[in-house]
Amino acid sequence: VKLKGYLGERLDAMIERHVIGTDVDYITAAYREKTETKGWWQTEFWGKWMHSAVPFVRLTGDAALREKIDESFRQIRAAQLPNGYIGNYTEDRQLARSTWDVWGRKYTLLGLFLYYDLTGDRSAIDCAARMVDHLMGQLQSGGMSLVESGCHRGMASCSILEPLVLLFGRTRDERYRRAAEFVVAEMC
């Protein structure tokens, strides 16, 4: 289906400017810098961009965009700390109230799954598994409720449920099923 007229022109312009035209260095910078202390949400942007870029590449085969997707993944993977964390928050602000840390981790995980589904690159699943292992370790060692983290009484943080289920589906590792069950228990 190809939209024409005003709506088609607007859609084409959006794809050109905001999908193809996205500066991957810019949207991955927060992951490298890890300086966020104000509670902002920059780490949702890469995953959301992947939600647009990957389907467009599948549809069109656009080689230049595919190269950007690959480069963005390399940057995200390189930003992963040895403990598994991929995000923009300083260590003392991770999981804090009134932050979007876990929300951003959710979108990062979703972006990693989109990359894996596009490429079959198993390192994307490995990154995701290390991220989840780190998060669950933080929650267990810190004695913190997931509902107490983030914004909107845990609603934003508990949305991590979707990528946990997706990770379990891709790995069949029982740790990730139990992690999903933990989130459901937290929500209840």
Side-chain angles (χ1 to χ4, degrees), residues 36-117:
E36 181 51 50
T37 60
K38 296 177 183 147
W40 292 353
W41 53 87
Q42 298 99 324
T43 51
E44 75 181 41
F45 300 150
W46 178 75
K48 286 182 173 182
W49 176 71
M50 291 291 282
H51 268 275
S52 300
V54 169
F56 188 74
V57 159
R58 285 181 186 267
L59 177 68
T60 65
D62 186 294
L65 182 57
R66 172 60 193 267
E67 191 174 308
K68 278 186 163 188
I69 290 169
D70 291 339
E71 176 57 28
S72 75
F73 171 69
R74 284 189 290 272
Q75 290 184 29
I76 293 296
R77 185 178 57 202
Q80 188 166 41
L81 295 178
N83 66 12
Y85 181 72
I86 302 178
N88 65 319
Y89 283 89
T90 58
E91 188 173 351
D92 64 313
R93 295 293 295 157
Q94 293 171 20
L95 298 180
R97 280 191 169 93
S98 301
T99 70
W100 294 92
D101 179 41
V102 180
W103 174 265
R105 294 188 211 198
K106 170 190 74 175
Y107 278 107
T108 302
L109 287 163
L110 293 173
L112 291 169
F113 298 141
L114 285 159
Y115 188 76
Y116 171 74
D117 293 346

Side-chain angles (χ1 to χ4, degrees), residues 10 12 23 39 42 56 61 88 115-116 119 122 129 155 159 179 185:
R10 299 306 306 148
D12 290 346
D23 179 350
Q42 298 99 324
F56 188 74
N88 65 319
Y115 188 76
Y116 171 74
T119 66
R122 189 74 189 164
M155 181 195 69
S159 69

Side-chain angles (χ1 to χ4, degrees), residues 88-181:
N88 65 319
Y89 283 89
T90 58
E91 188 173 351
D92 64 313
R93 295 293 295 157
Q94 293 171 20
L95 298 180
R97 280 191 169 93
S98 301
T99 70
W100 294 92
D101 179 41
V102 180
W103 174 265
R105 294 188 211 198
K106 170 190 74 175
Y107 278 107
T108 302
L109 287 163
L110 293 173
L112 291 169
F113 298 141
L114 285 159
Y115 188 76
Y116 171 74
D117 293 346
L118 176 67
T119 66
D121 185 340
R122 189 74 189 164
S123 69
I125 296 298
D126 295 341
C127 283
R130 291 181 56 222
M131 279 184 72
V132 170
D133 292 345
H134 175 255
L135 173 61
M136 298 313 293
Q138 282 183 304
L139 290 168
Q140 291 166 359
S141 69
M144 175 182 245
S145 166
L146 187 60
V147 174
E148 294 172 356
S149 73
C151 298
H152 304 291
R153 294 186 205 144
M155 181 195 69
S157 295
C158 287
S159 69
I160 195 85
L161 177 61
E162 179 185 8
L164 296 177
V165 171
L166 293 172
L167 183 58
F168 172 68
R170 284 165 174 78
T171 65
R172 292 310 211 204
D173 188 322
E174 286 295 313
R175 290 178 299 167
Y176 307 123
R177 183 187 55 77
R178 288 191 301 273
E181 290 172 346

Side-chain angles (χ1 to χ4, degrees), residues 3-14:
L3 292 177
K4 297 185 186 251
Y6 177 77
L7 187 57
E9 290 169 10
R10 299 306 306 148
L11 180 61
D12 290 346
M14 184 277 306

